[in-house]
């Protein structure tokens, strides 16, 4: 899909085999493990199931499509052939790759006629470190966090059916951004493939369309970019509009807000001739789907001609911009703003192809600075979006870090990368006081410290002598206010600064709303409010606000607020920095934000569902040391956990273990229970434990490992350990 003349062949193709029957819809929600599991269970009560294993080094093989062949870690996958596509059916192993939910609500919605911004992610063939569903130990990985600027995220590769890795889908959906996979055919093999499913009768192309819809529906992404980059016979090209219409209709029925886009490649005669515009040669494809993605070698006269072709559908034309600036293009690289200036001048949407250029081609050590520079240059052409639902909770985690932190306590040291763990990101940028004032505030993501996850939001600024405070907008909101809202902010000031730090809300009169959308509110109907600090939390809310007003570990401070407003609309969330009492000097400050929470108070009174039916399956043992060494050889244990939980209630799951021996629970010993070890995060009702070091079972005595599943509610508070899900495994050596 790169500009003509710059395309490369697809990466080596991987084929896998299916070992289980298709999953039912119930299995998608509450998957049941397979294999030898029923024979392993030896005891069960309401709190914990116990499973027995005899250590064996001849494990049942795992399907190679779904698991990394070296580590057995679950991986995202693609399909390389028409045969694989038509043979695919939902499988219990596919459950790892299912997104947590649909896109969160945001305003304006994708259905509005405002010109949109599409980001097409193409990086070194795709399926790199992002393919590891449960994360990896990648150092300096690529990260994208300017979600508030974009509407659509396309995951692109040269594999025929590119299913987006679930980490990208989870991160995008958390920000209200819809995600598309790619269906691509190219070269001579593409001609053969298209002839097979397009040149015949309708049953062939309808079967392909139904499979694409089923894949998007099952994995919970939002549609497809269709990219036919090979010549077509007259019979095949004649069926393309029928294929697109059928695919689009079926997708709209099965996937809410689903999208099908067509890439500018083949024309109505069947020739592969990039047009760099919407015109009479490719208009038939535009008329058959939701949108048109142009090739990149356009000039302003192309845009002018397209005005007549697009009619009222200007926003459905996505003008392609190759950020690598390959070919005869306008802008690109750090001059991409030149492209956007022309595109927005004519009212079209934009498709930014491969903005990962800042990562691939520039110094990795300067990645965050270069990425911020790239998007800041485009900021004036990228209208932002508003969050429109509660609860709204973020620790600003990028889904990566150099260590893992949980509420100020360091849990692990070392690099990690887990896209699903990325939390809602703010409106990055630099903000200066209007007029001649010298005050300014600038925000950066920062991996050096974190309150929860791997990063925090670093805010630097200056309060000039002539003003008392400066503020910066963190988030745009369009949230009708419930009767009572609680807010929380965790922060810490760096150095000796004594500036005041407080949250501020902008509110508007909800009476200005109208059916079908929310109107723009004038300055006269908006007001800035400083919430009243919440000093004595209600007893039932103690779990959530138990740290309010306290000095916490690592120098962090938590402030909690209560807001009682009726008939209003939350419009924006600011953080305000005020000069210390009595200060007349210029005040520089550096502040870290560790967490922001905006929660409907009533939601905190609703009982939480419990994690139930934790099971253990797909067990694999490996020796951790050679038999020639002194002492018994250690063991590495790999297995899969499944459990039942209502996913709409959860932010994520934290998976822990305790290791011991004998029948007593190492996590609940009567003397000194072992502190659970964090193994990782899950965003579905399953987790693959890989190479967990456990002690060998002693003769006549069982080894004991206990697994715990900790749900993290969307409101963000910690659940008592007594309410976690549990399963235990007793293991022994084989009898000789």
């Amino acid at each position: 899909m790169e500009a003509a003349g710059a395309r490369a062949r697809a990466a080596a193709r991987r084929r896998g085999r299916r070992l289980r029957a298709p999953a039912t819809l119930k299995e998608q929600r509450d998957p049941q493990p397979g294999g030898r599991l029923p024979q392993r269970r030896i005891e069960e009560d309401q709190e914990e199931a116990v499973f027995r294993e005899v250590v064996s080094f001849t494990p049942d093989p795992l399907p190679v499509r779904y698991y990394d062949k070296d580590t057995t870690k679950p991986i995202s996958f693609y399909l390389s052939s028409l045969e694989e596509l038509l043979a695919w059916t939902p499988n219990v192993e596919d459950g790892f790759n299912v997104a947590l939910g649909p896109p969160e609500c945001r305003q304006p919605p994708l259905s509005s006629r405002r010109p949109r911004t599409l980001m097409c992610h193409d990086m070194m063939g795709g399926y790199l470190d992002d393919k590891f569903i449960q994360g990896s130990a990648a150092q300096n990985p690529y990260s994208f966090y300017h979600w508030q600027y974009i509407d659509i995220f396309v995951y692109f590769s040269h594999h025929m059916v590119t299913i987006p890795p679930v980490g990208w889908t989870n991160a995008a959906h958390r920000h209200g951004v819809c995600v598309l996979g790619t269906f691509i055919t190219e070269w001579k093999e593409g001609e053969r493939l298209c002839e097979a499913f397009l040149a015949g009768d309708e049953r062939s192309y309808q079967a392909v369309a139904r499979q694409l819809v089923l894949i998007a529906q099952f994995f919970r992404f939002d549609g497809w970019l269709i990219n036919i980059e090979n010549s077509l016979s007259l019979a095949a090209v004649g069926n393309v509009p029928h294929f697109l219409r059928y695919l689009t209709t079926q997708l709209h029925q099965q996937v809410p807000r689903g999208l099908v886009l067509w890439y500018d490649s083949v024309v109505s005669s069947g020739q592969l001739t990039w047009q760099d515009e919407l015109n009479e040669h490719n208009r038939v494809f535009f008329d058959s789907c939701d949108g048109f993605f142009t090739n990149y070698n356009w000039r302003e006269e192309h845009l002018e001609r397209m005005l007549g072709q697009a009619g009222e559908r200007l926003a459905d034309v996505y003008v392609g911009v190759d950020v690598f600036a390959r070919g005869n293009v306008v802008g690109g690289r750090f001059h991409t703003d030149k492209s956007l200036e022309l595109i927005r001048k004519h009212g079209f949407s934009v498709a930014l192809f491969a903005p990962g250029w800042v990562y691939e081609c520039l110094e990795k050590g300067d990645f965050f600075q270069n990425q911020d520079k790239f998007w800041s240059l485009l900021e004036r052409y990228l209208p932002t979006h508003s969050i429109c639902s509660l609860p709204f909770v973020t620790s600003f985690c990028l889904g990566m870090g150099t260590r893992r932190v949980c509420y100020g306590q360091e849990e692990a040291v070392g690099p990690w990368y887990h896209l699903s763990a990325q939390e809602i990101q703010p409106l990055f940028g630099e903000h200066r006081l209007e007029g001649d004032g010298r005050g300014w505030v600038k925000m950066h993501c920062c991996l050096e410290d974190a309150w929860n996850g791997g990063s925090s939001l670093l805010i630097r600024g200056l309060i000039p002598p002539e003003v008392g405070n400066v503020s910066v907008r963190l988030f745009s909101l369009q949230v009708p206010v419930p009767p009572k809202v609680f807010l929380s902010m965790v922060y810490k000031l760096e150095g000796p600064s004594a500036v005041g730090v407080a949250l501020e809300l902008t509110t508007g009169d909800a009476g200005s709303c109208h059916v079908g959308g929310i109107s723009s509110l004038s300055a006269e109907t908006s007001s800035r409010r400083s919430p009243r600090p919440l000093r004595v939390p209600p007893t039932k809310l103690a779990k959530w606000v138990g740290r309010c007003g306290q000095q916490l570990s690592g120098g962090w401070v938590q402030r909690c607020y209560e807001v009682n407003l009726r008939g209003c609309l939350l419009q924006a969330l600011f953080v305000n920095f005020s000069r210390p009492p009595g200060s007349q000097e210029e005040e520089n400050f550096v502040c870290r934000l560790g967490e922001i929470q905006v929660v409907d108070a009533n939601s905190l009174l609703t009982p939480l569902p419990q994690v139930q039916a934790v099971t253990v399956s797909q067990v694999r043992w490996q020796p951790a040391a050679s038999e020639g060494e002194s002492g018994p050889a250690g063991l590495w244990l790999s297995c899969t956990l499944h459990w039942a939980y209502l996913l709409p209630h959860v932010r994520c799951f934290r998976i822990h273990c305790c290791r011991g021996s004998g029948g007593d629970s190492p996590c609940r010993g009567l003397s000194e229970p072992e502190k659970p070890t964090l193994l990782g995060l899950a965003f579905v009702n399953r987790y693959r434990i890989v190479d967990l070091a456990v002690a060998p079972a002693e003769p006549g005595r069982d080894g004991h490992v206990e697994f715990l599943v900790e749900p993290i509610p969307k409101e963000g508070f910690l659940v008592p350990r007594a309410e976690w899900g549990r399963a235990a495994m007793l293991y022994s050596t084989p009898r000789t």
Side-chain angles (χ1 to χ4, degrees):
M1 139 149 220
E2 295 95 331
R7 296 179 298 150
R9 281 195 175 275
R13 296 174 178 175
R14 178 181 301 145
R15 295 178 183 270
R17 53 197 181 103
R18 192 168 330 292
L19 299 183
R20 286 184 54 82
T24 65
L25 289 178
K26 180 178 184 297
E27 287 173 321
Q28 291 184 50
R29 294 191 297 269
D30 184 11
Q32 299 297 316
R36 297 170 290 158
L37 181 58
Q39 287 73 41
R40 290 196 183 114
R41 183 177 298 182
I42 62 172
E43 180 183 337
E44 185 173 5
D45 56 35
Q46 290 184 345
E47 293 185 350
E48 183 177 84
V50 182
F51 301 83
R52 178 173 292 281
E53 271 284 328
V54 176
V55 175
S56 169
F57 300 130
T58 56
D60 295 336
L62 294 172
V64 69
R65 172 186 286 169
Y66 305 102
Y67 299 93
D68 182 64
K69 60 181 174 47
D70 296 322
T71 66
T72 77
K73 291 181 179 180
I75 55 174
S76 295
F77 66 93
Y78 50 83
L79 303 174
S80 297
S81 68
L82 192 60
E83 293 75 20
E84 281 187 298
L85 171 61
L86 294 174
W88 182 85
T89 55
N91 183 296
V92 69
E93 309 292 351
D94 287 305
F96 281 107
N97 212 35
V98 175
L100 187 57
E104 292 290 341
C105 171
R106 58 158 29 178
Q107 290 288 346
L110 195 64
S111 58
S112 75
R113 305 317 299 168
R114 185 174 81 171
R116 308 175 195 118
T117 302
L118 178 152
M119 172 181 167
C120 190
H121 177 63
D122 173 33
M123 182 169 287
M124 297 181 281
Y127 299 96
L128 305 172
D129 292 307
D130 55 4
K131 74 179 179 182
F132 291 101
I133 294 170
Q134 296 177 176
S136 72
Q139 297 191 45
N140 302 317
Y142 174 72
S143 176
F144 176 74
Y145 44 89
H146 291 87
W147 295 104
Q148 304 298 349
Y149 292 136
I150 72 169
D151 300 89
I152 302 167
F153 177 88
V154 178
Y155 193 82
F156 180 85
S157 82
H158 288 277
H159 304 291
M160 191 190 84
V161 180
T162 297
I163 301 170
V166 67
W168 283 111
T169 305
N170 280 333
H173 281 183
R174 194 167 289 122
H175 292 84
V177 173
C178 84
V179 176
L180 306 185
T182 306
F183 178 79
I184 185 172
T185 65
E186 51 190 342
W187 313 104
K188 288 296 183 182
E189 175 63 17
E191 293 181 20
R192 184 198 66 78
L193 189 152
C194 289
E195 197 69 15
F197 85 93
L198 284 172
D201 60 26
E202 65 181 17
R203 290 174 297 177
S204 296
Y205 67 74
Q206 288 182 357
V208 169
R210 285 193 298 270
Q211 286 296 92
L212 293 176
V213 171
L214 179 61
I215 288 170
Q217 180 187 21
F218 182 87
F219 292 116
R220 294 182 183 154
F221 62 96
D222 308 295
W224 295 97
L225 172 66
I226 306 298
N227 184 11
I228 306 296
E229 290 206 79
N230 49 259
S231 298
L232 297 175
S233 67
L234 288 176
V237 76
N239 274 331
V240 169
H242 303 300
F243 166 64
L244 289 175
R245 278 193 290 271
Y246 185 79
L247 172 62
T248 303
T249 300
Q250 294 296 310
L251 186 76
H252 289 176
Q253 292 175 0
Q254 302 299 327
V255 178
R257 295 169 285 180
L259 280 180
V260 176
L261 304 183
W262 172 263
Y263 175 64
D264 166 23
S265 50
V266 174
V267 294
S268 57
S269 67
Q271 293 178 298
L272 178 61
T273 309
W274 296 271
Q275 300 294 291
D276 304 304
E277 64 177 320
L278 174 68
N279 59 28
E280 67 276 11
H281 302 297
N282 50 35
R283 172 70 185 266
V284 64
F285 309 123
F286 176 60
D287 291 339
S288 304
C289 65
D290 295 307
F292 185 88
F293 183 148
T294 78
N295 193 47
Y296 314 104
N297 298 306
W298 50 267
R299 287 289 182 268
E300 187 168 11
E301 51 265 32
H302 292 85
L303 305 181
E304 292 168 349
R305 286 197 297 266
M306 283 197 296
L307 291 171
Q309 290 288 339
E312 296 182 354
R313 294 183 63 192
L314 289 180
D316 295 334
V317 177
Y318 299 83
V319 180
V321 177
D322 182 2
V323 177
F324 276 74
R326 293 164 288 199
N328 185 22
V329 301
V330 175
R333 303 182 182 178
F334 284 129
H335 300 291
T336 300
D337 58 314
K338 296 179 180 178
S339 308
L340 267 72
E341 181 181 10
L342 291 177
I343 294 168
R344 297 306 199 207
K345 172 184 173 183
H346 294 282
F348 293 112
S349 294
V350 63
L352 294 170
F353 184 76
W357 165 81
V358 296
Y359 178 84
E360 288 193 56
C361 297
L362 305 179
E363 288 293 330
K364 300 292 190 293
D366 299 327
F367 166 64
F368 289 108
Q369 298 94 311
N370 287 326
Q371 171 131 296
D372 290 344
K373 175 183 176 181
F374 176 83
W375 290 95
S376 68
L377 291 169
L378 308 183
E379 182 178 355
R380 64 184 134 162
Y381 305 113
L382 303 177
T384 58
H385 297 81
S386 300
I387 296 162
C388 61
S389 62
L390 297 181
F392 165 57
V393 179
T394 180
S395 67
F396 305 99
C397 180
L398 292 174
M400 59 182 290
T402 58
R403 60 189 186 123
R404 288 182 184 269
V405 180
C406 180
Y407 299 100
Q409 300 293 322
E410 185 175 86
E411 292 187 308
V413 177
W416 64 276
Y417 177 58
H418 195 327
L419 277 169
S420 289
Q422 186 183 97
E423 302 210 343
I424 299 175
Q425 298 299 305
L427 299 168
F428 289 97
E430 183 172 355
H431 306 266
R432 294 190 173 273
L433 293 181
E434 296 180 1
D436 297 329
R438 293 177 291 111
W440 57 270
V441 185
K442 190 168 185 177
M443 294 187 288
H444 309 270
C445 50
C446 183
L447 302 178
E448 293 178 5
D449 203 355
W451 164 251
N452 191 30
S455 56
S456 57
L457 183 66
L458 187 65
I459 305 179
R460 302 178 185 272
L462 181 146
I463 306 173
E466 62 271 17
V467 300
N469 60 79
V470 294
S471 295
V472 62
R473 184 175 62 149
L474 298 175
F475 299 97
S476 176
L477 306 171
Q478 293 284 355
V479 181
V481 181
K484 181 180 290 186
V485 173
F486 290 132
L487 298 94
S488 167
M489 173 177 62
V490 177
Y491 73 94
K492 69 175 173 180
L493 290 166
E494 302 283 331
S497 177
V499 301
V501 184
L503 281 179
E504 288 188 344
L505 294 172
T506 297
T507 63
D509 180 2
S512 61
C513 300
H514 60 82
V515 177
I518 298 176
S519 65
S520 299
L521 302 175
S522 67
E524 288 72 29
T525 63
S526 298
S527 59
R528 186 85 63 86
R529 300 175 186 268
S530 297
R532 172 167 58 92
L534 185 67
R535 301 191 183 279
V536 182
T539 303
K540 290 184 178 181
L541 307 181
K543 291 179 184 177
W544 185 73
V545 295
R547 299 181 300 265
C548 291
Q550 298 180 15
Q551 187 78 26
L552 308 174
S553 61
W556 296 96
V557 177
Q558 182 170 15
R559 296 279 183 257
C560 302
Y561 306 89
E562 176 183 333
V563 180
N564 292 281
L565 297 171
R566 294 185 180 274
C568 291
L569 192 73
L570 298 184
Q571 290 186 301
L573 188 65
F574 291 77
V575 60
N576 178 279
F577 300 93
S578 57
R579 67 172 53 260
S583 168
Q584 302 296 325
E585 305 253 333
E586 185 175 274
E587 291 285 344
N588 288 281
F589 62 87
V590 178
C591 178
R592 291 184 187 277
L593 289 188
E595 189 172 66
I596 297 286
Q597 296 170 287
V598 184
V599 178
D600 179 356
N602 286 333
S603 72
L604 297 178
L605 304 177
T606 304
L608 282 172
Q610 292 186 339
V611 176
Q612 297 179 335
V614 182
T615 59
V616 184
S617 64
Q618 295 175 317
V619 177
R620 184 179 83 161
W621 298 95
Q622 287 185 297
S626 65
E627 296 294 337
E629 298 179 2
S630 60
L635 296 171
W636 283 341
L637 166 64
S638 299
C639 60
T640 300
L641 305 182
H642 298 75
W643 58 89
Y645 195 85
L646 295 173
L647 293 179
H649 295 279
V650 77
R651 189 177 176 188
C652 69
F653 301 95
R654 288 162 48 86
I655 313 302
H656 310 262
C657 79
C658 298
R659 289 159 283 199
S661 61
D664 295 332
S665 168
C667 288
R668 293 185 288 182
L670 295 178
S671 56
E672 293 185 11
E674 178 186 337
K675 181 180 179 181
T677 300
L678 177 69
L679 300 179
L681 305 178
F683 294 83
V684 287
N685 288 338
R686 65 189 67 204
Y687 185 81
R688 178 71 182 170
I689 295 165
V690 176
D691 291 343
L692 175 65
V694 298
E698 300 174 5
R701 188 173 174 83
D702 290 332
H704 191 149
V705 58
E706 186 171 6
F707 302 110
L708 303 105
V709 180
E710 175 190 8
I712 304 297
K714 282 193 170 183
E715 291 81 6
F717 58 83
L718 289 175
V719 173
R721 194 187 302 181
E723 300 177 20
W724 299 1
R726 298 171 178 270
M729 178 189 290
L730 302 180
Y731 58 94
S732 59
T733 55
R735 297 177 181 177
T736 56

